[in-house]
Amino acid sequence: MQVAIDTSTDTASLALVQDGEVLAELTWRCGQNHSTQLLPHLSHLLNQTNLSLQAADCIIVAKGPGSYNGLRVGISTAKGLAFSLGIPLVGISTLEAEAYQHAETGLPVCPIFNAGREEIAVAIYQKKDGQWRQLTAEHLTTVEALCSQITTKTVFCGEFVPSIAAELKKRLKQKALILPPAAHLRRAGFLAELGLKRIKAGDYDNPTTLQPLYFRGPAITQPKHR
Protein backbone atom coordinates (compact mmCIF):
# COMPACT_ATOMS: atom_id res chain seq x y z
CA MET A 1 0.00 0.00 0.00
CA GLN A 2 1.15 3.54 -0.77
CA VAL A 3 0.18 6.65 1.19
CA ALA A 4 -0.13 9.94 -0.73
CA ILE A 5 -0.01 13.23 1.18
CA ASP A 6 -0.68 16.72 -0.17
CA THR A 7 -0.76 19.72 2.16
CA SER A 8 0.69 22.23 -0.27
CA THR A 9 -2.05 24.83 0.02
CA ASP A 10 -5.21 25.55 2.01
CA THR A 11 -6.66 22.51 0.22
CA ALA A 12 -5.29 19.23 1.58
CA SER A 13 -5.69 15.69 0.28
CA LEU A 14 -4.81 12.14 1.31
CA ALA A 15 -5.07 8.84 -0.54
CA LEU A 16 -4.39 5.19 0.19
CA VAL A 17 -3.48 3.21 -2.92
CA GLN A 18 -2.86 -0.48 -3.49
CA ASP A 19 -2.01 -2.23 -6.78
CA GLY A 20 -2.76 1.02 -8.63
CA GLU A 21 -6.25 1.28 -7.15
CA VAL A 22 -7.37 4.07 -4.84
CA LEU A 23 -8.70 2.39 -1.70
CA ALA A 24 -9.68 5.63 0.03
CA GLU A 25 -9.26 9.32 -0.61
CA LEU A 26 -10.08 12.50 1.28
CA THR A 27 -9.80 16.09 0.06
CA TRP A 28 -10.81 18.98 2.27
CA ARG A 29 -10.37 22.69 2.89
CA CYS A 30 -8.05 22.83 5.87
CA GLY A 31 -7.01 26.49 5.85
CA GLN A 32 -3.91 26.79 8.04
CA ASN A 33 -4.82 23.77 10.18
CA HIS A 34 -2.55 21.25 8.47
CA SER A 35 -0.70 20.33 11.66
CA THR A 36 -3.87 19.51 13.64
CA GLN A 37 -5.89 17.83 10.88
CA LEU A 38 -3.45 15.78 8.80
CA LEU A 39 -2.78 12.81 11.08
CA PRO A 40 -6.38 12.49 12.39
CA HIS A 41 -7.66 12.38 8.81
CA LEU A 42 -5.00 9.81 7.87
CA SER A 43 -6.07 7.71 10.85
CA HIS A 44 -9.69 8.00 9.68
CA LEU A 45 -8.83 6.70 6.19
CA LEU A 46 -6.89 3.78 7.67
CA ASN A 47 -9.84 2.89 9.90
CA GLN A 48 -12.22 3.09 6.93
CA THR A 49 -10.13 0.56 5.01
CA ASN A 50 -9.20 -1.62 8.00
CA LEU A 51 -5.53 -1.05 7.24
CA SER A 52 -2.58 -0.01 9.36
CA LEU A 53 0.43 2.13 8.55
CA GLN A 54 2.57 -0.98 8.85
CA ALA A 55 1.03 -2.10 5.53
CA ALA A 56 2.54 0.92 3.73
CA ASP A 57 5.52 0.28 1.46
CA CYS A 58 6.07 3.86 0.23
CA ILE A 59 5.11 7.44 1.09
CA ILE A 60 4.31 9.84 -1.76
CA VAL A 61 4.26 13.53 -0.90
CA ALA A 62 3.56 16.76 -2.77
CA LYS A 63 6.71 18.86 -2.42
CA GLY A 64 5.41 22.22 -3.64
CA PRO A 65 5.37 24.92 -4.67
CA GLY A 66 2.93 25.96 -2.00
CA SER A 67 2.56 27.61 1.36
CA TYR A 68 5.39 27.55 3.89
CA ASN A 69 3.28 26.11 6.72
CA GLY A 70 1.45 23.54 4.61
CA LEU A 71 4.56 22.13 2.94
CA ARG A 72 6.51 22.08 6.20
CA VAL A 73 3.80 19.96 7.84
CA GLY A 74 3.27 17.61 4.90
CA ILE A 75 6.91 16.93 4.12
CA SER A 76 7.99 16.59 7.75
CA THR A 77 5.14 14.12 8.32
CA ALA A 78 6.05 12.17 5.19
CA LYS A 79 9.71 12.04 6.21
CA GLY A 80 8.78 10.93 9.72
CA LEU A 81 6.60 8.11 8.41
CA ALA A 82 9.25 6.98 5.91
CA PHE A 83 11.95 6.95 8.59
CA SER A 84 9.83 5.23 11.26
CA LEU A 85 8.47 2.57 8.91
CA GLY A 86 11.75 2.11 7.02
CA ILE A 87 10.11 2.61 3.63
CA PRO A 88 10.96 4.76 0.57
CA LEU A 89 9.80 8.34 0.02
CA VAL A 90 8.85 9.97 -3.30
CA GLY A 91 8.35 13.74 -3.70
CA ILE A 92 6.21 15.04 -6.57
CA SER A 93 5.72 18.62 -7.77
CA THR A 94 2.37 19.98 -6.60
CA LEU A 95 1.92 21.77 -9.92
CA GLU A 96 2.48 18.50 -11.76
CA ALA A 97 -0.09 16.71 -9.57
CA GLU A 98 -2.57 19.52 -10.30
CA ALA A 99 -1.97 19.27 -14.05
CA TYR A 100 -1.96 15.47 -14.27
CA GLN A 101 -5.67 15.33 -13.49
CA HIS A 102 -6.27 16.76 -16.97
CA ALA A 103 -3.62 14.83 -18.90
CA GLU A 104 -6.14 12.95 -21.02
CA THR A 105 -7.25 16.16 -22.76
CA GLY A 106 -4.07 15.86 -24.81
CA LEU A 107 -3.68 19.63 -24.61
CA PRO A 108 -0.92 21.55 -22.83
CA VAL A 109 -1.98 21.92 -19.19
CA CYS A 110 -0.89 24.97 -17.20
CA PRO A 111 -1.53 24.79 -13.43
CA ILE A 112 -1.57 28.19 -11.70
CA PHE A 113 -1.24 29.01 -8.00
CA ASN A 114 -1.42 32.50 -6.54
CA ALA A 115 2.00 33.45 -5.20
CA GLY A 116 1.22 36.94 -3.90
CA ARG A 117 2.82 40.25 -4.89
CA GLU A 118 0.90 40.02 -8.20
CA GLU A 119 2.86 36.91 -9.17
CA ILE A 120 1.76 33.37 -9.97
CA ALA A 121 3.52 30.00 -9.79
CA VAL A 122 3.14 28.04 -13.02
CA ALA A 123 4.49 25.18 -15.14
CA ILE A 124 3.26 23.54 -18.34
CA TYR A 125 2.78 19.82 -18.98
CA GLN A 126 1.33 17.73 -21.80
CA LYS A 127 0.53 14.11 -22.55
CA LYS A 128 1.46 13.44 -26.16
CA ASP A 129 1.97 10.13 -27.93
CA GLY A 130 1.21 8.41 -24.64
CA GLN A 131 4.04 10.20 -22.81
CA TRP A 132 3.53 12.69 -19.99
CA ARG A 133 6.10 15.47 -20.25
CA GLN A 134 7.00 18.73 -18.55
CA LEU A 135 7.24 21.47 -21.18
CA THR A 136 8.05 24.37 -18.85
CA ALA A 137 9.61 24.07 -15.39
CA GLU A 138 8.00 25.49 -12.25
CA HIS A 139 8.63 29.21 -11.92
CA LEU A 140 7.19 32.49 -10.70
CA THR A 141 5.83 34.88 -13.30
CA THR A 142 3.00 37.31 -14.03
CA VAL A 143 -0.21 36.70 -15.93
CA GLU A 144 0.95 39.09 -18.66
CA ALA A 145 4.27 37.28 -19.10
CA LEU A 146 2.58 33.87 -19.06
CA CYS A 147 0.09 34.87 -21.75
CA SER A 148 2.90 36.09 -23.99
CA GLN A 149 4.30 32.55 -24.03
CA ILE A 150 1.03 30.71 -24.84
CA THR A 151 0.77 29.95 -28.55
CA THR A 152 -1.84 27.17 -28.64
CA LYS A 153 -5.05 26.15 -26.89
CA THR A 154 -4.14 25.42 -23.27
CA VAL A 155 -5.97 24.05 -20.24
CA PHE A 156 -5.65 26.28 -17.16
CA CYS A 157 -6.26 24.77 -13.73
CA GLY A 158 -5.19 25.28 -10.14
CA GLU A 159 -5.93 27.72 -7.35
CA PHE A 160 -6.31 31.25 -8.65
CA VAL A 161 -8.76 34.09 -8.17
CA PRO A 162 -11.52 34.92 -10.71
CA SER A 163 -9.70 38.08 -11.81
CA ILE A 164 -6.84 35.92 -13.14
CA ALA A 165 -9.27 33.75 -15.08
CA ALA A 166 -10.83 36.88 -16.56
CA GLU A 167 -7.44 38.23 -17.60
CA LEU A 168 -6.47 34.92 -19.20
CA LYS A 169 -9.70 34.93 -21.20
CA LYS A 170 -9.23 38.55 -22.20
CA ARG A 171 -5.65 38.10 -23.38
CA LEU A 172 -5.83 34.59 -24.86
CA LYS A 173 -9.47 34.39 -25.94
CA GLN A 174 -10.16 30.94 -27.49
CA LYS A 175 -6.68 29.68 -26.61
CA ALA A 176 -7.60 29.67 -22.88
CA LEU A 177 -9.65 26.70 -21.67
CA ILE A 178 -10.64 27.61 -18.11
CA LEU A 179 -11.98 24.64 -16.19
CA PRO A 180 -14.95 24.96 -13.77
CA PRO A 181 -14.20 25.29 -10.03
CA ALA A 182 -14.93 21.63 -9.23
CA ALA A 183 -12.27 20.53 -11.73
CA HIS A 184 -9.65 22.62 -9.93
CA LEU A 185 -9.87 20.49 -6.78
CA ARG A 186 -6.51 18.76 -6.35
CA ARG A 187 -6.78 15.06 -5.50
CA ALA A 188 -4.13 12.90 -3.87
CA GLY A 189 -5.17 9.95 -6.04
CA PHE A 190 -3.50 11.61 -9.03
CA LEU A 191 -0.47 12.46 -6.89
CA ALA A 192 -0.26 8.74 -6.11
CA GLU A 193 -0.39 7.84 -9.83
CA LEU A 194 2.61 10.06 -10.53
CA GLY A 195 4.44 8.60 -7.54
CA LEU A 196 3.76 5.06 -8.71
CA LYS A 197 5.43 5.80 -12.04
CA ARG A 198 8.63 6.69 -10.19
CA ILE A 199 8.31 3.75 -7.82
CA LYS A 200 8.11 1.33 -10.76
CA ALA A 201 11.27 2.94 -12.16
CA GLY A 202 13.01 2.56 -8.80
CA ASP A 203 13.34 6.34 -8.56
CA TYR A 204 13.05 7.41 -4.91
CA ASP A 205 14.03 10.49 -2.95
CA ASN A 206 16.44 10.63 -0.04
CA PRO A 207 14.38 11.55 3.05
CA THR A 208 17.33 13.46 4.50
CA THR A 209 17.78 15.70 1.47
CA LEU A 210 14.25 16.11 0.05
CA GLN A 211 13.36 19.78 0.37
CA PRO A 212 10.05 21.60 -0.19
CA LEU A 213 9.66 24.08 -3.02
CA TYR A 214 8.12 27.22 -1.56
CA PHE A 215 6.54 30.16 -3.33
CA ARG A 216 8.66 32.19 -0.97
CA GLY A 217 9.95 31.90 2.58
CA PRO A 218 7.70 32.70 5.53
CA ALA A 219 6.71 36.32 6.00
CA ILE A 220 8.85 37.48 8.90
CA THR A 221 8.80 41.04 10.11
CA GLN A 222 11.55 42.71 12.08
CA PRO A 223 10.62 43.69 15.63
CA LYS A 224 10.18 47.37 16.20
CA HIS A 225 12.93 48.99 18.23
CA ARG A 226 11.89 51.16 21.10
Side-chain angles (χ1 to χ4, degrees):
M1 176 188 73
Q2 297 81 46
V3 179
I5 300 171
D6 184 352
T7 57
S8 306
T9 65
D10 289 353
T11 299
S13 189
L14 291 166
L16 304 180
V17 178
Q18 188 166 301
D19 298 326
E21 178 183 353
V22 177
L23 302 178
E25 186 181 57
L26 179 62
T27 300
W28 74 101
R29 188 77 172 176
C30 68
Q32 296 298 309
N33 300 312
H34 307 85
S35 59
T36 59
Q37 295 182 359
L38 178 57
L39 289 178
H41 284 330
L42 176 57
S43 177
H44 170 72
L45 286 188
L46 290 167
N47 289 334
Q48 290 291 310
T49 52
N50 294 316
L51 292 168
S52 70
L53 276 175
Q54 282 64 39
D57 55 31
C58 185
I59 306 295
I60 302 165
V61 64
K63 64 180 182 179
S67 72
Y68 180 84
N69 180 65
L71 289 173
R72 180 180 57 82
V73 171
I75 290 183
S76 62
T77 300
K79 286 184 175 185
L81 291 174
F83 274 122
S84 62
L85 297 170
I87 58 178
L89 175 67
V90 173
I92 300 292
S93 162
T94 306
L95 288 172
E96 184 176 8
E98 182 81 51
Y100 190 65
Q101 302 180 170
H102 314 294
E104 296 306 320
T105 63
L107 296 171
V109 183
C110 179
I112 299 176
F113 289 165
N114 291 325
R117 304 178 192 173
E118 299 185 351
E119 288 186 313
I120 52 176
V122 303
I124 300 178
Y125 305 86
Q126 185 176 19
K127 186 175 184 179
K128 194 170 184 180
D129 299 326
Q131 296 295 318
W132 176 248
R133 297 185 178 91
Q134 183 181 55
L135 306 182
T136 304
E138 300 94 339
H139 64 285
L140 288 177
T141 186
T142 63
V143 175
E144 180 180 4
L146 172 64
C147 289
S148 69
Q149 300 168 2
I150 302 297
T151 59
T152 187
K153 190 171 185 178
T154 300
V155 176
F156 292 94
C157 58
E159 297 184 14
F160 51 90
V161 295
S163 60
I164 291 179
E167 189 171 354
L168 289 170
K169 275 292 189 183
K170 179 181 177 182
R171 291 178 178 274
L172 296 174
K173 297 181 173 58
Q174 297 304 314
K175 286 188 289 187
L177 178 56
I178 310 292
L179 298 176
H184 292 204
L185 196 64
R186 202 169 59 256
R187 291 176 45 204
F190 289 100
L191 172 68
E193 281 194 33
L194 287 168
L196 285 170
K197 291 177 184 293
R198 287 189 48 194
I199 291 169
K200 290 178 180 178
D203 181 17
Y204 303 105
D205 286 294
N206 186 334
T208 61
T209 58
L210 178 65
Q211 294 296 320
L213 176 60
Y214 299 118
F215 288 144
R216 295 185 179 86
I220 301 176
T221 57
Q222 295 295 327
K224 294 181 179 179
H225 297 286
R226 294 183 179 179

